[in-house]
Amino acid sequence: MTAPADARAATASRFADAIRAFDRTRPVWVLGHNDADGLSATALFARGFRAAGWEVRTRIVGRGESPWSDSMRSELAAEPMGGLVITDLGVQDALPRPGVPTVVVDHHVPGAPPEGATVITGFGQDPIPTASLLAFWCAGALADAEPWLWLAAVGLIGDMADKAGFPEMEAARRFGVTALRDTAALVNAPRRSASGDAGPALALLLAADGPKDLLATDRPEAAALLAARAEVKAALDAARRVAPVVRGDVALIRFSSPTQIHPLIAQQWRGRLKDNVVMAANTGYRPGWVHFAIRSARDRDLIAFLAEHRPPGADEMYGSGHRQATGGALRPESWNSFVQGLGFGPEFSVPEQAA
C-alpha cells in the first residue's frame, strides 16, 4: 500500500522527470478518454501545460477508437508534436506516435508497458487513484493545481471512487458536493448520446472556474450537454424494461440503442442479480459491432473471465478496464462465438453481415 501523500509526491516527480524529454518548441498533445474521469484528466493536463507556457492540443478518444490503433497512428503521423500524454485509455505495448516522448497516465489493469514511454499507473495502490486524480498530482509539477481540484473530484465521482477515502475528495467539498455530482453526471452525458460527441463537455471543463460556474453557464455547449442527458434518460427508461436471460452464472440483457447505456444497465442489474456475472449487450450502438459491459456484485476478476472466454477475432477493444467493471466490442461473428460459448442459444446471435 502506498500512502496518498507519498503517492502524490512520487507521481509529480516521475511526471516532471518524464516531460524533460518533451520539445517545448512544438505542441504537447493530450489524448484522453471521453468519460468524466478521462475528460477531467485531459482538462487538468491541458490547464497545467498552458499555465506553464506550453502550446497544447487535445484529442478525445471516443466511440470505436483506440489510441493504440493503426488508424490513430495514421491520424497523428504528420502532426507537429513535442510530447504526448495519454490518459485514462489503458496501457498497451504500442504507441500512437513512435519516437515522440510519451507519458501514459492510467489506473486500469495494465497490459505490457510500451517501450520508450513513461507509464504512471495508479493500479496497485490502495485505494486506486483515478486518472483525474493522477492528472491532478501531475499538474502540480507544472503549476499551482489547487484551484483545479474540482476537476479531480469530478473524475473521482464519475468513476465511483469518491468514497474511497482520498483526502482530495474531502478537500473538494468546498466546491459543493451537489454541484460536483451534477457536473460529473452532465459531462458524462454526451459520450453516452447517439452522437458520442464529448467535445462540448471538454470545452466547459476547460473554460469553467468551478462546478457551479459550469452548471450556471449560458454557453452553447451547456445546452448540448442538457440535450444529451435527456436523450440518454429516455434510452435508459426503455432499456430498463428488458428482462435478463440467465445461462449458468451469466445473466444477459440484450437490447439495441444508439446510446452508450450498456454500462449503466449492467451496473443497475448488478445489484439485483448478485450471484451472476451481469452482461448488458447493445447491438445498436455502432453498426457492425456488438458492444457489451460486464459487472458483478461478487469479488470476481471479470477481466480474467473475459480472457477465459475470449473468442476468435477479439482485438484491443475486448476485455480491458477494471477487475469488476469491464466489457468490450466484438464483430458479429466473434460475438456469436462468444455467447454460444457462454451457453446461449442461436436466438442470441446476430446476423454476421451487420450487428
Side-chain angles (χ1 to χ4, degrees):
M1 182 184 300
T2 305
D6 293 342
R8 179 172 181 169
T11 297
S13 176
R14 185 165 171 78
F15 182 72
D17 288 344
I19 64 173
R20 289 193 180 99
F22 284 19
D23 179 358
R24 292 197 63 148
T25 67
R26 296 186 171 194
V28 58
W29 281 66
V30 183
L31 272 58
H33 191 222
N34 63 351
D35 68 358
D37 187 35
L39 292 170
S40 296
T42 301
L44 279 159
F45 280 117
R47 285 176 181 252
F49 277 113
R50 285 171 180 161
W54 297 68
E55 181 183 354
V56 181
R57 298 184 186 177
T58 58
R59 170 64 160 87
I60 301 169
V61 179
R63 178 174 302 189
E65 295 184 318
S66 167
W68 324 110
S69 65
D70 291 339
S71 61
M72 187 65 72
R73 280 189 285 276
S74 296
E75 177 186 329
L76 299 179
E79 296 288 350
M81 189 178 297
L84 175 62
V85 177
I86 304 171
T87 185
D88 199 34
L89 291 164
V91 179
Q92 293 195 26
D93 187 13
L95 288 174
R97 186 71 182 272
V100 170
T102 300
V103 184
V104 181
V105 180
D106 195 68
H107 63 128
H108 302 98
V109 178
E115 185 176 353
T118 297
V119 176
I120 296 174
T121 178
F123 186 77
Q125 297 183 35
D126 186 13
I128 297 174
T130 59
S132 56
L133 185 54
L134 291 168
F136 175 70
W137 294 345
C138 291
L142 292 162
D144 176 15
E146 289 304 316
W148 310 326
L149 176 61
W150 66 276
L151 288 166
V154 168
L156 284 164
I157 293 168
D159 259 28
M160 297 182 287
D162 49 309
K163 293 181 171 57
F166 292 107
E168 287 85 356
M169 190 66 226
E170 182 63 28
R173 295 179 69 86
R174 70 179 186 267
F175 295 100
V177 174
T178 299
L180 288 167
R181 294 191 183 282
D182 289 347
T183 297
L186 194 60
V187 300
N188 246 337
R191 61 108 174 192
R192 298 195 187 281
S193 68
S195 73
D197 181 12
L202 179 59
L204 289 180
L205 291 172
L206 287 169
D209 291 330
K212 293 178 181 178
D213 179 44
L214 185 150
L215 294 168
T217 186
D218 58 359
R219 288 169 59 100
E221 291 89 350
L225 266 61
L226 291 170
R229 186 171 65 181
E231 177 189 359
V232 171
K233 181 181 183 301
L236 267 175
D237 289 344
R240 286 192 183 109
R241 295 194 287 269
V242 178
V245 176
V246 178
R247 297 289 185 272
D249 63 349
V250 178
L252 174 62
I253 305 102
R254 184 183 140 179
F255 55 90
S256 178
S257 172
T259 60
Q260 191 192 39
I261 57 171
H262 34 286
L264 301 178
I265 293 297
Q267 184 67 24
Q268 289 173 4
W269 278 102
R270 168 186 175 272
R272 298 171 63 181
L273 300 169
K274 297 182 183 298
D275 294 330
N276 298 102
V277 172
V278 177
M279 178 164 60
N282 189 348
T283 61
Y285 180 59
R286 187 163 56 115
W289 294 83
V290 178
H291 283 251
F292 62 96
I294 293 186
R295 303 289 186 267
S296 175
R298 292 189 171 186
D299 185 16
R300 181 164 182 174
D301 188 339
L302 297 178
I303 289 182
F305 170 83
L306 286 180
E308 179 184 350
H309 294 281
R310 186 182 187 93
D315 60 15
E316 71 273 4
M317 303 291 290
Y318 176 91
S320 61
H322 303 280
R323 288 180 68 255
Q324 290 188 282
T326 183
L330 292 169
R331 289 288 191 181
E333 57 272 21
S334 297
W335 166 261
N336 294 341
S337 174
F338 176 55
V339 291
Q340 288 168 19
L342 293 174
F344 292 89
E347 67 273 21
F348 294 95
S349 297
V350 296
E352 296 198 357
Q353 296 302 313

